[in-house]
Amino acid sequence: MSTIVLAYSGGLDTSVLLKKYVLAGHRVIAMTLDLGESDGTAGDGASAALDEVKAKALALGAYDALLVDAKTRFIDELALPALRANALYEGIYPLSAALSRPLIAALLVETAHAYGADAVAHGCTGKGNDQVRIELAVRALDPAIETLAPLRDKPLNRPDAIAYANANGVPISSTVAKPYSIDANLWGRSIEAGVLEDPWTAPPEDVYAWTAAPADRPSAPEHVVIDFAGGVPSVDGLTGAAMVAALNVRAGAHGIGRIDMIEDRVIGVKSREVYECPGSIALVAAHKALERLVLTRDELRFKATIDQKYAELVYDGLWPSPLRKAFDAFNASLAERMTGRVRLVLHQGTAVCDGSASPFGLYDERLATYGADDRFKHDAAQGFIELWGLPLELGARVARDAATPAAR
Ligand code: ARG
């Protein structure tokens, strides 16, 4: 008998796993996280549903069942550092699922320590990214803990899972018939599988739960002001998880954050992924806009390359890497000047900056203006261009002379 901490969603697969471990004589601690997966829609009884998940785990024979509200930790420790890096995988996906896995791993390890468990277990399959992210993070935190991935060792198909559940008293919820694989938290919602596996098939409207269909979006634009203090965003006085939840509702009503992409998974296959990430997409747009006002040209150019690398590290399961931590330190240094505000216009699927202001802004109207108060030294431009173009002129002359036989 061993003690196993199982990442438990309450769904069919992890319920079958839980029952199998219990029947094999193991002591199972079922751990369920609240990462705000239902906060994209205005109050739909999410916490009641999570209470039921906990009760279900105990009914299935779990030694203990934990429901952990990890929303604040998720936003403060994972999502906001990613925001500072404008982290979008392949330039598009805000990494909602990817960012949650290192936290799930940390909570599995912390719970394993609290209960003296030998192993942690998850329900990831062998094709996805999440197995990589969870296992690398567990190993980085405590290499002595074994990670079990029973669905990878022995894939469980739907009919077998249902048959097992029926034979062993595992209740089957109505969501078993769901045509998609869904993962959601405050930073976004991902929808995979079913008809989406054909990349030519447009996502049916029923894949979306947080974002309004084009016909249902308000015809009038709405403004939202995002304040930043040292890189930390707030909206109407709300910060952290509460702010992201509110933005999901507000931006979602305008259909912002719908993503449909072919994405490169860690294990080397391409997959078709649909997401809706209204809050995170709006926040990244605002953060980028403030950076354009505050950061120097060199900082912006350099940061763009490391921002891309940051997103790749998160996607690829390398959150625990020293390089990611070093990027966080770099971003924290720039964030000291990231104080100011950005006004976004939310309208028909887009969140666009139409105003920005900051005490650290490098925009100087007297230098930029074409009006009367112009302080720019126009006569210095000629000398600047003379020297800036010198190497080009020289290079062109040398190339021309070398190509002329008479000159040799
Ligand atoms: N493709 C996305 C990612 O790797 C979404 C994964 C969602 N996970 C899930 N178990 N449905 O980040």
mmCIF file with all atom_site columns, all heavy atoms in Angstrom, residues 34-47 50 69 71 184-186 210 241-242 244-250 278:
data_model
loop_
_atom_site.group_PDB
_atom_site.id
_atom_site.type_symbol
_atom_site.label_atom_id
_atom_site.label_alt_id
_atom_site.label_comp_id
_atom_site.label_asym_id
_atom_site.label_entity_id
_atom_site.label_seq_id
_atom_site.pdbx_PDB_ins_code
_atom_site.Cartn_x
_atom_site.Cartn_y
_atom_site.Cartn_z
_atom_site.occupancy
_atom_site.B_iso_or_equiv
_atom_site.pdbx_formal_charge
_atom_site.auth_seq_id
_atom_site.auth_comp_id
_atom_site.auth_asym_id
_atom_site.auth_atom_id
_atom_site.pdbx_PDB_model_num
ATOM 1   N N   . ASP A 1 34  ? -9.347  24.910 -7.458  1.00 0.00 ? 34  ASP A N   1
ATOM 2   C CA  . ASP A 1 34  ? -10.187 25.955 -8.041  1.00 0.00 ? 34  ASP A CA  1
ATOM 3   C C   . ASP A 1 34  ? -9.252  27.011 -8.627  1.00 0.00 ? 34  ASP A C   1
ATOM 4   O O   . ASP A 1 34  ? -8.604  27.756 -7.902  1.00 0.00 ? 34  ASP A O   1
ATOM 5   C CB  . ASP A 1 34  ? -11.084 26.568 -6.958  1.00 0.00 ? 34  ASP A CB  1
ATOM 6   C CG  . ASP A 1 34  ? -12.005 27.649 -7.523  1.00 0.00 ? 34  ASP A CG  1
ATOM 7   O OD1 . ASP A 1 34  ? -11.919 27.924 -8.741  1.00 0.00 ? 34  ASP A OD1 1
ATOM 8   O OD2 . ASP A 1 34  ? -12.803 28.204 -6.753  1.00 0.00 ? 34  ASP A OD2 1
ATOM 9   N N   . LEU A 1 35  ? -9.167  27.011 -9.953  1.00 0.00 ? 35  LEU A N   1
ATOM 10  C CA  . LEU A 1 35  ? -8.326  27.998 -10.642 1.00 0.00 ? 35  LEU A CA  1
ATOM 11  C C   . LEU A 1 35  ? -9.196  29.014 -11.367 1.00 0.00 ? 35  LEU A C   1
ATOM 12  O O   . LEU A 1 35  ? -8.747  29.710 -12.266 1.00 0.00 ? 35  LEU A O   1
ATOM 13  C CB  . LEU A 1 35  ? -7.398  27.293 -11.640 1.00 0.00 ? 35  LEU A CB  1
ATOM 14  C CG  . LEU A 1 35  ? -6.296  26.435 -11.019 1.00 0.00 ? 35  LEU A CG  1
ATOM 15  C CD1 . LEU A 1 35  ? -5.623  25.565 -12.066 1.00 0.00 ? 35  LEU A CD1 1
ATOM 16  C CD2 . LEU A 1 35  ? -5.263  27.306 -10.329 1.00 0.00 ? 35  LEU A CD2 1
ATOM 17  N N   . GLY A 1 36  ? -10.459 29.047 -10.976 1.00 0.00 ? 36  GLY A N   1
ATOM 18  C CA  . GLY A 1 36  ? -11.362 30.027 -11.578 1.00 0.00 ? 36  GLY A CA  1
ATOM 19  C C   . GLY A 1 36  ? -11.894 29.593 -12.920 1.00 0.00 ? 36  GLY A C   1
ATOM 20  O O   . GLY A 1 36  ? -12.211 30.417 -13.762 1.00 0.00 ? 36  GLY A O   1
ATOM 21  N N   . GLU A 1 37  ? -12.024 28.291 -13.122 1.00 0.00 ? 37  GLU A N   1
ATOM 22  C CA  . GLU A 1 37  ? -12.417 27.818 -14.445 1.00 0.00 ? 37  GLU A CA  1
ATOM 23  C C   . GLU A 1 37  ? -13.823 28.229 -14.844 1.00 0.00 ? 37  GLU A C   1
ATOM 24  O O   . GLU A 1 37  ? -14.170 28.198 -16.018 1.00 0.00 ? 37  GLU A O   1
ATOM 25  C CB  . GLU A 1 37  ? -12.267 26.302 -14.553 1.00 0.00 ? 37  GLU A CB  1
ATOM 26  C CG  . GLU A 1 37  ? -13.176 25.512 -13.639 1.00 0.00 ? 37  GLU A CG  1
ATOM 27  C CD  . GLU A 1 37  ? -13.104 24.024 -13.978 1.00 0.00 ? 37  GLU A CD  1
ATOM 28  O OE1 . GLU A 1 37  ? -13.854 23.607 -14.860 1.00 0.00 ? 37  GLU A OE1 1
ATOM 29  O OE2 . GLU A 1 37  ? -12.281 23.309 -13.386 1.00 0.00 ? 37  GLU A OE2 1
ATOM 30  N N   . SER A 1 38  ? -14.620 28.620 -13.877 1.00 0.00 ? 38  SER A N   1
ATOM 31  C CA  . SER A 1 38  ? -15.968 29.054 -14.231 1.00 0.00 ? 38  SER A CA  1
ATOM 32  C C   . SER A 1 38  ? -16.141 30.552 -14.050 1.00 0.00 ? 38  SER A C   1
ATOM 33  O O   . SER A 1 38  ? -17.249 31.068 -14.125 1.00 0.00 ? 38  SER A O   1
ATOM 34  C CB  . SER A 1 38  ? -16.994 28.317 -13.379 1.00 0.00 ? 38  SER A CB  1
ATOM 35  O OG  . SER A 1 38  ? -16.902 26.949 -13.638 1.00 0.00 ? 38  SER A OG  1
ATOM 36  N N   . ASP A 1 39  ? -15.018 31.243 -13.819 1.00 0.00 ? 39  ASP A N   1
ATOM 37  C CA  . ASP A 1 39  ? -15.128 32.673 -13.561 1.00 0.00 ? 39  ASP A CA  1
ATOM 38  C C   . ASP A 1 39  ? -15.198 33.513 -14.831 1.00 0.00 ? 39  ASP A C   1
ATOM 39  O O   . ASP A 1 39  ? -15.290 34.727 -14.768 1.00 0.00 ? 39  ASP A O   1
ATOM 40  C CB  . ASP A 1 39  ? -13.965 33.150 -12.684 1.00 0.00 ? 39  ASP A CB  1
ATOM 41  C CG  . ASP A 1 39  ? -14.120 32.624 -11.268 1.00 0.00 ? 39  ASP A CG  1
ATOM 42  O OD1 . ASP A 1 39  ? -15.089 31.889 -11.032 1.00 0.00 ? 39  ASP A OD1 1
ATOM 43  O OD2 . ASP A 1 39  ? -13.287 32.940 -10.413 1.00 0.00 ? 39  ASP A OD2 1
ATOM 44  N N   . GLY A 1 40  ? -15.129 32.846 -15.978 1.00 0.00 ? 40  GLY A N   1
ATOM 45  C CA  . GLY A 1 40  ? -15.258 33.599 -17.220 1.00 0.00 ? 40  GLY A CA  1
ATOM 46  C C   . GLY A 1 40  ? -16.708 33.938 -17.500 1.00 0.00 ? 40  GLY A C   1
ATOM 47  O O   . GLY A 1 40  ? -17.020 34.834 -18.265 1.00 0.00 ? 40  GLY A O   1
ATOM 48  N N   . THR A 1 41  ? -17.586 33.202 -16.866 1.00 0.00 ? 41  THR A N   1
ATOM 49  C CA  . THR A 1 41  ? -19.001 33.492 -17.003 1.00 0.00 ? 41  THR A CA  1
ATOM 50  C C   . THR A 1 41  ? -19.481 34.002 -15.655 1.00 0.00 ? 41  THR A C   1
ATOM 51  O O   . THR A 1 41  ? -19.032 33.536 -14.616 1.00 0.00 ? 41  THR A O   1
ATOM 52  C CB  . THR A 1 41  ? -19.777 32.216 -17.362 1.00 0.00 ? 41  THR A CB  1
ATOM 53  O OG1 . THR A 1 41  ? -19.353 31.181 -16.481 1.00 0.00 ? 41  THR A OG1 1
ATOM 54  C CG2 . THR A 1 41  ? -19.496 31.793 -18.784 1.00 0.00 ? 41  THR A CG2 1
ATOM 55  N N   . ALA A 1 42  ? -20.380 34.924 -15.667 1.00 0.00 ? 42  ALA A N   1
ATOM 56  C CA  . ALA A 1 42  ? -20.835 35.508 -14.402 1.00 0.00 ? 42  ALA A CA  1
ATOM 57  C C   . ALA A 1 42  ? -21.572 34.450 -13.587 1.00 0.00 ? 42  ALA A C   1
ATOM 58  O O   . ALA A 1 42  ? -22.550 33.873 -14.038 1.00 0.00 ? 42  ALA A O   1
ATOM 59  C CB  . ALA A 1 42  ? -21.738 36.690 -14.678 1.00 0.00 ? 42  ALA A CB  1
ATOM 60  N N   . GLY A 1 43  ? -21.058 34.193 -12.386 1.00 0.00 ? 43  GLY A N   1
ATOM 61  C CA  . GLY A 1 43  ? -21.587 33.261 -11.380 1.00 0.00 ? 43  GLY A CA  1
ATOM 62  C C   . GLY A 1 43  ? -22.484 32.137 -11.853 1.00 0.00 ? 43  GLY A C   1
ATOM 63  O O   . GLY A 1 43  ? -23.680 32.322 -12.009 1.00 0.00 ? 43  GLY A O   1
ATOM 64  N N   . ASP A 1 44  ? -21.906 30.957 -12.082 1.00 0.00 ? 44  ASP A N   1
ATOM 65  C CA  . ASP A 1 44  ? -22.760 29.847 -12.474 1.00 0.00 ? 44  ASP A CA  1
ATOM 66  C C   . ASP A 1 44  ? -22.614 28.691 -11.498 1.00 0.00 ? 44  ASP A C   1
ATOM 67  O O   . ASP A 1 44  ? -22.640 27.529 -11.853 1.00 0.00 ? 44  ASP A O   1
ATOM 68  C CB  . ASP A 1 44  ? -22.471 29.410 -13.911 1.00 0.00 ? 44  ASP A CB  1
ATOM 69  C CG  . ASP A 1 44  ? -21.051 28.915 -14.080 1.00 0.00 ? 44  ASP A CG  1
ATOM 70  O OD1 . ASP A 1 44  ? -20.265 29.088 -13.130 1.00 0.00 ? 44  ASP A OD1 1
ATOM 71  O OD2 . ASP A 1 44  ? -20.735 28.363 -15.137 1.00 0.00 ? 44  ASP A OD2 1
ATOM 72  N N   . GLY A 1 45  ? -22.447 29.028 -10.240 1.00 0.00 ? 45  GLY A N   1
ATOM 73  C CA  . GLY A 1 45  ? -22.418 27.996 -9.207  1.00 0.00 ? 45  GLY A CA  1
ATOM 74  C C   . GLY A 1 45  ? -21.187 27.126 -9.232  1.00 0.00 ? 45  GLY A C   1
ATOM 75  O O   . GLY A 1 45  ? -21.238 25.943 -8.942  1.00 0.00 ? 45  GLY A O   1
ATOM 76  N N   . ALA A 1 46  ? -20.051 27.728 -9.579  1.00 0.00 ? 46  ALA A N   1
ATOM 77  C CA  . ALA A 1 46  ? -18.826 26.943 -9.705  1.00 0.00 ? 46  ALA A CA  1
ATOM 78  C C   . ALA A 1 46  ? -18.398 26.319 -8.389  1.00 0.00 ? 46  ALA A C   1
ATOM 79  O O   . ALA A 1 46  ? -18.009 25.156 -8.350  1.00 0.00 ? 46  ALA A O   1
ATOM 80  C CB  . ALA A 1 46  ? -17.712 27.828 -10.238 1.00 0.00 ? 46  ALA A CB  1
ATOM 81  N N   . SER A 1 47  ? -18.474 27.087 -7.306  1.00 0.00 ? 47  SER A N   1
ATOM 82  C CA  . SER A 1 47  ? -17.955 26.531 -6.059  1.00 0.00 ? 47  SER A CA  1
ATOM 83  C C   . SER A 1 47  ? -18.842 25.391 -5.561  1.00 0.00 ? 47  SER A C   1
ATOM 84  O O   . SER A 1 47  ? -18.355 24.426 -4.994  1.00 0.00 ? 47  SER A O   1
ATOM 85  C CB  . SER A 1 47  ? -17.802 27.627 -5.010  1.00 0.00 ? 47  SER A CB  1
ATOM 86  O OG  . SER A 1 47  ? -18.985 28.378 -4.927  1.00 0.00 ? 47  SER A OG  1
ATOM 87  N N   . LEU A 1 50  ? -17.689 22.410 -7.330  1.00 0.00 ? 50  LEU A N   1
ATOM 88  C CA  . LEU A 1 50  ? -16.436 21.885 -6.798  1.00 0.00 ? 50  LEU A CA  1
ATOM 89  C C   . LEU A 1 50  ? -16.652 21.173 -5.471  1.00 0.00 ? 50  LEU A C   1
ATOM 90  O O   . LEU A 1 50  ? -15.970 20.198 -5.174  1.00 0.00 ? 50  LEU A O   1
ATOM 91  C CB  . LEU A 1 50  ? -15.409 23.014 -6.669  1.00 0.00 ? 50  LEU A CB  1
ATOM 92  C CG  . LEU A 1 50  ? -14.831 23.485 -8.017  1.00 0.00 ? 50  LEU A CG  1
ATOM 93  C CD1 . LEU A 1 50  ? -13.968 24.724 -7.841  1.00 0.00 ? 50  LEU A CD1 1
ATOM 94  C CD2 . LEU A 1 50  ? -14.016 22.382 -8.688  1.00 0.00 ? 50  LEU A CD2 1
ATOM 95  N N   . ASP A 1 69  ? -8.436  26.465 -3.119  1.00 0.00 ? 69  ASP A N   1
ATOM 96  C CA  . ASP A 1 69  ? -8.650  27.688 -3.896  1.00 0.00 ? 69  ASP A CA  1
ATOM 97  C C   . ASP A 1 69  ? -7.279  28.262 -4.240  1.00 0.00 ? 69  ASP A C   1
ATOM 98  O O   . ASP A 1 69  ? -6.615  28.857 -3.392  1.00 0.00 ? 69  ASP A O   1
ATOM 99  C CB  . ASP A 1 69  ? -9.467  28.694 -3.084  1.00 0.00 ? 69  ASP A CB  1
ATOM 100 C CG  . ASP A 1 69  ? -9.733  29.971 -3.873  1.00 0.00 ? 69  ASP A CG  1
ATOM 101 O OD1 . ASP A 1 69  ? -9.094  30.177 -4.942  1.00 0.00 ? 69  ASP A OD1 1
ATOM 102 O OD2 . ASP A 1 69  ? -10.581 30.775 -3.429  1.00 0.00 ? 69  ASP A OD2 1
ATOM 103 N N   . LYS A 1 71  ? -6.655  30.348 -6.874  1.00 0.00 ? 71  LYS A N   1
ATOM 104 C CA  . LYS A 1 71  ? -6.812  31.427 -7.862  1.00 0.00 ? 71  LYS A CA  1
ATOM 105 C C   . LYS A 1 71  ? -5.802  32.558 -7.650  1.00 0.00 ? 71  LYS A C   1
ATOM 106 O O   . LYS A 1 71  ? -5.173  33.018 -8.595  1.00 0.00 ? 71  LYS A O   1
ATOM 107 C CB  . LYS A 1 71  ? -8.243  31.993 -7.796  1.00 0.00 ? 71  LYS A CB  1
ATOM 108 C CG  . LYS A 1 71  ? -9.317  31.002 -8.217  1.00 0.00 ? 71  LYS A CG  1
ATOM 109 C CD  . LYS A 1 71  ? -10.640 31.690 -8.504  1.00 0.00 ? 71  LYS A CD  1
ATOM 110 C CE  . LYS A 1 71  ? -11.338 32.183 -7.252  1.00 0.00 ? 71  LYS A CE  1
ATOM 111 N NZ  . LYS A 1 71  ? -12.070 31.125 -6.531  1.00 0.00 ? 71  LYS A NZ  1
ATOM 112 N N   . ALA A 1 184 ? -9.927  24.795 -18.317 1.00 0.00 ? 184 ALA A N   1
ATOM 113 C CA  . ALA A 1 184 ? -10.141 26.233 -18.141 1.00 0.00 ? 184 ALA A CA  1
ATOM 114 C C   . ALA A 1 184 ? -9.624  26.723 -16.804 1.00 0.00 ? 184 ALA A C   1
ATOM 115 O O   . ALA A 1 184 ? -9.601  25.985 -15.811 1.00 0.00 ? 184 ALA A O   1
ATOM 116 C CB  . ALA A 1 184 ? -11.628 26.562 -18.268 1.00 0.00 ? 184 ALA A CB  1
ATOM 117 N N   . ASN A 1 185 ? -9.176  27.953 -16.802 1.00 0.00 ? 185 ASN A N   1
ATOM 118 C CA  . ASN A 1 185 ? -8.832  28.675 -15.578 1.00 0.00 ? 185 ASN A CA  1
ATOM 119 C C   . ASN A 1 185 ? -8.966  30.158 -15.891 1.00 0.00 ? 185 ASN A C   1
ATOM 120 O O   . ASN A 1 185 ? -9.353  30.525 -17.009 1.00 0.00 ? 185 ASN A O   1
ATOM 121 C CB  . ASN A 1 185 ? -7.420  28.296 -15.116 1.00 0.00 ? 185 ASN A CB  1
ATOM 122 C CG  . ASN A 1 185 ? -6.360  28.613 -16.151 1.00 0.00 ? 185 ASN A CG  1
ATOM 123 O OD1 . ASN A 1 185 ? -6.272  29.723 -16.653 1.00 0.00 ? 185 ASN A OD1 1
ATOM 124 N ND2 . ASN A 1 185 ? -5.549  27.622 -16.494 1.00 0.00 ? 185 ASN A ND2 1
ATOM 125 N N   . LEU A 1 186 ? -8.664  30.999 -14.909 1.00 0.00 ? 186 LEU A N   1
ATOM 126 C CA  . LEU A 1 186 ? -8.854  32.444 -15.097 1.00 0.00 ? 186 LEU A CA  1
ATOM 127 C C   . LEU A 1 186 ? -8.151  33.006 -16.328 1.00 0.00 ? 186 LEU A C   1
ATOM 128 O O   . LEU A 1 186 ? -8.598  33.984 -16.909 1.00 0.00 ? 186 LEU A O   1
ATOM 129 C CB  . LEU A 1 186 ? -8.343  33.199 -13.863 1.00 0.00 ? 186 LEU A CB  1
ATOM 130 C CG  . LEU A 1 186 ? -9.267  33.185 -12.650 1.00 0.00 ? 186 LEU A CG  1
ATOM 131 C CD1 . LEU A 1 186 ? -8.517  33.692 -11.427 1.00 0.00 ? 186 LEU A CD1 1
ATOM 132 C CD2 . LEU A 1 186 ? -10.493 34.059 -12.905 1.00 0.00 ? 186 LEU A CD2 1
ATOM 133 N N   . TRP A 1 210 ? -17.389 31.559 -22.997 1.00 0.00 ? 210 TRP A N   1
ATOM 134 C CA  . TRP A 1 210 ? -17.033 32.819 -22.335 1.00 0.00 ? 210 TRP A CA  1
ATOM 135 C C   . TRP A 1 210 ? -17.129 34.024 -23.252 1.00 0.00 ? 210 TRP A C   1
ATOM 136 O O   . TRP A 1 210 ? -17.037 35.161 -22.785 1.00 0.00 ? 210 TRP A O   1
ATOM 137 C CB  . TRP A 1 210 ? -15.571 32.777 -21.834 1.00 0.00 ? 210 TRP A CB  1
ATOM 138 C CG  . TRP A 1 210 ? -15.299 31.817 -20.741 1.00 0.00 ? 210 TRP A CG  1
ATOM 139 C CD1 . TRP A 1 210 ? -16.126 30.863 -20.209 1.00 0.00 ? 210 TRP A CD1 1
ATOM 140 C CD2 . TRP A 1 210 ? -14.070 31.724 -20.008 1.00 0.00 ? 210 TRP A CD2 1
ATOM 141 N NE1 . TRP A 1 210 ? -15.484 30.181 -19.216 1.00 0.00 ? 210 TRP A NE1 1
ATOM 142 C CE2 . TRP A 1 210 ? -14.230 30.687 -19.071 1.00 0.00 ? 210 TRP A CE2 1
ATOM 143 C CE3 . TRP A 1 210 ? -12.852 32.404 -20.058 1.00 0.00 ? 210 TRP A CE3 1
ATOM 144 C CZ2 . TRP A 1 210 ? -13.206 30.332 -18.186 1.00 0.00 ? 210 TRP A CZ2 1
ATOM 145 C CZ3 . TRP A 1 210 ? -11.846 32.048 -19.195 1.00 0.00 ? 210 TRP A CZ3 1
ATOM 146 C CH2 . TRP A 1 210 ? -12.025 31.013 -18.255 1.00 0.00 ? 210 TRP A CH2 1
ATOM 147 N N   . ALA A 1 241 ? -6.874  38.080 -9.037  1.00 0.00 ? 241 ALA A N   1
ATOM 148 C CA  . ALA A 1 241 ? -7.861  37.146 -9.576  1.00 0.00 ? 241 ALA A CA  1
ATOM 149 C C   . ALA A 1 241 ? -9.214  37.819 -9.818  1.00 0.00 ? 241 ALA A C   1
ATOM 150 O O   . ALA A 1 241 ? -9.869  37.558 -10.842 1.00 0.00 ? 241 ALA A O   1
ATOM 151 C CB  . ALA A 1 241 ? -8.022  35.958 -8.622  1.00 0.00 ? 241 ALA A CB  1
ATOM 152 N N   . ALA A 1 242 ? -9.613  38.706 -8.919  1.00 0.00 ? 242 ALA A N   1
ATOM 153 C CA  . ALA A 1 242 ? -10.917 39.364 -9.080  1.00 0.00 ? 242 ALA A CA  1
ATOM 154 C C   . ALA A 1 242 ? -10.934 40.245 -10.327 1.00 0.00 ? 242 ALA A C   1
ATOM 155 O O   . ALA A 1 242 ? -11.927 40.297 -11.061 1.00 0.00 ? 242 ALA A O   1
ATOM 156 C CB  . ALA A 1 242 ? -11.244 40.201 -7.845  1.00 0.00 ? 242 ALA A CB  1
ATOM 157 N N   . VAL A 1 244 ? -9.063  39.798 -13.068 1.00 0.00 ? 244 VAL A N   1
ATOM 158 C CA  . VAL A 1 244 ? -9.061  38.960 -14.272 1.00 0.00 ? 244 VAL A CA  1
ATOM 159 C C   . VAL A 1 244 ? -10.458 38.394 -14.514 1.00 0.00 ? 244 VAL A C   1
ATOM 160 O O   . VAL A 1 244 ? -10.958 38.377 -15.647 1.00 0.00 ? 244 VAL A O   1
ATOM 161 C CB  . VAL A 1 244 ? -8.015  37.828 -14.161 1.00 0.00 ? 244 VAL A CB  1
ATOM 162 C CG1 . VAL A 1 244 ? -8.028  36.968 -15.419 1.00 0.00 ? 244 VAL A CG1 1
ATOM 163 C CG2 . VAL A 1 244 ? -6.621  38.400 -13.942 1.00 0.00 ? 244 VAL A CG2 1
ATOM 164 N N   . ALA A 1 245 ? -11.125 37.971 -13.434 1.00 0.00 ? 245 ALA A N   1
ATOM 165 C CA  . ALA A 1 245 ? -12.493 37.438 -13.581 1.00 0.00 ? 245 ALA A CA  1
ATOM 166 C C   . ALA A 1 245 ? -13.426 38.501 -14.157 1.00 0.00 ? 245 ALA A C   1
ATOM 167 O O   . ALA A 1 245 ? -14.218 38.227 -15.068 1.00 0.00 ? 245 ALA A O   1
ATOM 168 C CB  . ALA A 1 245 ? -13.007 36.943 -12.228 1.00 0.00 ? 245 ALA A CB  1
ATOM 169 N N   . ALA A 1 246 ? -13.304 39.731 -13.651 1.00 0.00 ? 246 ALA A N   1
ATOM 170 C CA  . ALA A 1 246 ? -14.172 40.804 -14.143 1.00 0.00 ? 246 ALA A CA  1
ATOM 171 C C   . ALA A 1 246 ? -13.876 41.118 -15.607 1.00 0.00 ? 246 ALA A C   1
ATOM 172 O O   . ALA A 1 246 ? -14.793 41.340 -16.414 1.00 0.00 ? 246 ALA A O   1
ATOM 173 C CB  . ALA A 1 246 ? -13.992 42.052 -13.281 1.00 0.00 ? 246 ALA A CB  1
ATOM 174 N N   . LEU A 1 247 ? -12.591 41.110 -15.958 1.00 0.00 ? 247 LEU A N   1
ATOM 175 C CA  . LEU A 1 247 ? -12.221 41.393 -17.351 1.00 0.00 ? 247 LEU A CA  1
ATOM 176 C C   . LEU A 1 247 ? -12.700 40.288 -18.297 1.00 0.00 ? 247 LEU A C   1
ATOM 177 O O   . LEU A 1 247 ? -13.066 40.562 -19.440 1.00 0.00 ? 247 LEU A O   1
ATOM 178 C CB  . LEU A 1 247 ? -10.714 41.530 -17.483 1.00 0.00 ? 247 LEU A CB  1
ATOM 179 C CG  . LEU A 1 247 ? -10.109 42.923 -17.388 1.00 0.00 ? 247 LEU A CG  1
ATOM 180 C CD1 . LEU A 1 247 ? -8.604  42.827 -17.590 1.00 0.00 ? 247 LEU A CD1 1
ATOM 181 C CD2 . LEU A 1 247 ? -10.713 43.879 -18.426 1.00 0.00 ? 247 LEU A CD2 1
ATOM 182 N N   . ASN A 1 248 ? -12.676 39.045 -17.808 1.00 0.00 ? 248 ASN A N   1
ATOM 183 C CA  . ASN A 1 248 ? -13.169 37.939 -18.648 1.00 0.00 ? 248 ASN A CA  1
ATOM 184 C C   . ASN A 1 248 ? -14.618 38.197 -19.044 1.00 0.00 ? 248 ASN A C   1
ATOM 185 O O   . ASN A 1 248 ? -15.003 38.001 -20.198 1.00 0.00 ? 248 ASN A O   1
ATOM 186 C CB  . ASN A 1 248 ? -13.061 36.607 -17.905 1.00 0.00 ? 248 ASN A CB  1
ATOM 187 C CG  . ASN A 1 248 ? -11.677 35.989 -18.024 1.00 0.00 ? 248 ASN A CG  1
ATOM 188 O OD1 . ASN A 1 248 ? -10.956 36.235 -18.988 1.00 0.00 ? 248 ASN A OD1 1
ATOM 189 N ND2 . ASN A 1 248 ? -11.295 35.195 -17.038 1.00 0.00 ? 248 ASN A ND2 1
ATOM 190 N N   . VAL A 1 249 ? -15.398 38.650 -18.082 1.00 0.00 ? 249 VAL A N   1
ATOM 191 C CA  . VAL A 1 249 ? -16.818 38.900 -18.361 1.00 0.00 ? 249 VAL A CA  1
ATOM 192 C C   . VAL A 1 249 ? -16.974 40.100 -19.305 1.00 0.00 ? 249 VAL A C   1
ATOM 193 O O   . VAL A 1 249 ? -17.683 40.034 -20.312 1.00 0.00 ? 249 VAL A O   1
ATOM 194 C CB  . VAL A 1 249 ? -17.582 39.144 -17.046 1.00 0.00 ? 249 VAL A CB  1
ATOM 195 C CG1 . VAL A 1 249 ? -19.031 39.524 -17.329 1.00 0.00 ? 249 VAL A CG1 1
ATOM 196 C CG2 . VAL A 1 249 ? -17.514 37.902 -16.150 1.00 0.00 ? 249 VAL A CG2 1
ATOM 197 N N   . ARG A 1 250 ? -16.230 41.161 -18.993 1.00 0.00 ? 250 ARG A N   1
ATOM 198 C CA  . ARG A 1 250 ? -16.382 42.393 -19.770 1.00 0.00 ? 250 ARG A CA  1
ATOM 199 C C   . ARG A 1 250 ? -15.876 42.242 -21.206 1.00 0.00 ? 250 ARG A C   1
ATOM 200 O O   . ARG A 1 250 ? -16.554 42.625 -22.166 1.00 0.00 ? 250 ARG A O   1
ATOM 201 C CB  . ARG A 1 250 ? -15.588 43.497 -19.079 1.00 0.00 ? 250 ARG A CB  1
ATOM 202 C CG  . ARG A 1 250 ? -16.460 44.687 -18.743 1.00 0.00 ? 250 ARG A CG  1
ATOM 203 C CD  . ARG A 1 250 ? -15.735 45.615 -17.840 1.00 0.00 ? 250 ARG A CD  1
ATOM 204 N NE  . ARG A 1 250 ? -15.699 46.944 -18.427 1.00 0.00 ? 250 ARG A NE  1
ATOM 205 C CZ  . ARG A 1 250 ? -15.186 48.000 -17.814 1.00 0.00 ? 250 ARG A CZ  1
ATOM 206 N NH1 . ARG A 1 250 ? -14.647 47.855 -16.605 1.00 0.00 ? 250 ARG A NH1 1
ATOM 207 N NH2 . ARG A 1 250 ? -15.202 49.174 -18.384 1.00 0.00 ? 250 ARG A NH2 1
ATOM 208 N N   . PRO A 1 278 ? -10.493 36.044 -23.008 1.00 0.00 ? 278 PRO A N   1
ATOM 209 C CA  . PRO A 1 278 ? -10.815 37.470 -23.091 1.00 0.00 ? 278 PRO A CA  1
ATOM 210 C C   . PRO A 1 278 ? -9.976  38.346 -22.161 1.00 0.00 ? 278 PRO A C   1
ATOM 211 O O   . PRO A 1 278 ? -9.414  39.363 -22.582 1.00 0.00 ? 278 PRO A O   1
ATOM 212 C CB  . PRO A 1 278 ? -12.304 37.526 -22.725 1.00 0.00 ? 278 PRO A CB  1
ATOM 213 C CG  . PRO A 1 278 ? -12.665 36.185 -22.176 1.00 0.00 ? 278 PRO A CG  1
ATOM 214 C CD  . PRO A 1 278 ? -11.652 35.207 -22.652 1.00 0.00 ? 278 PRO A CD  1
#
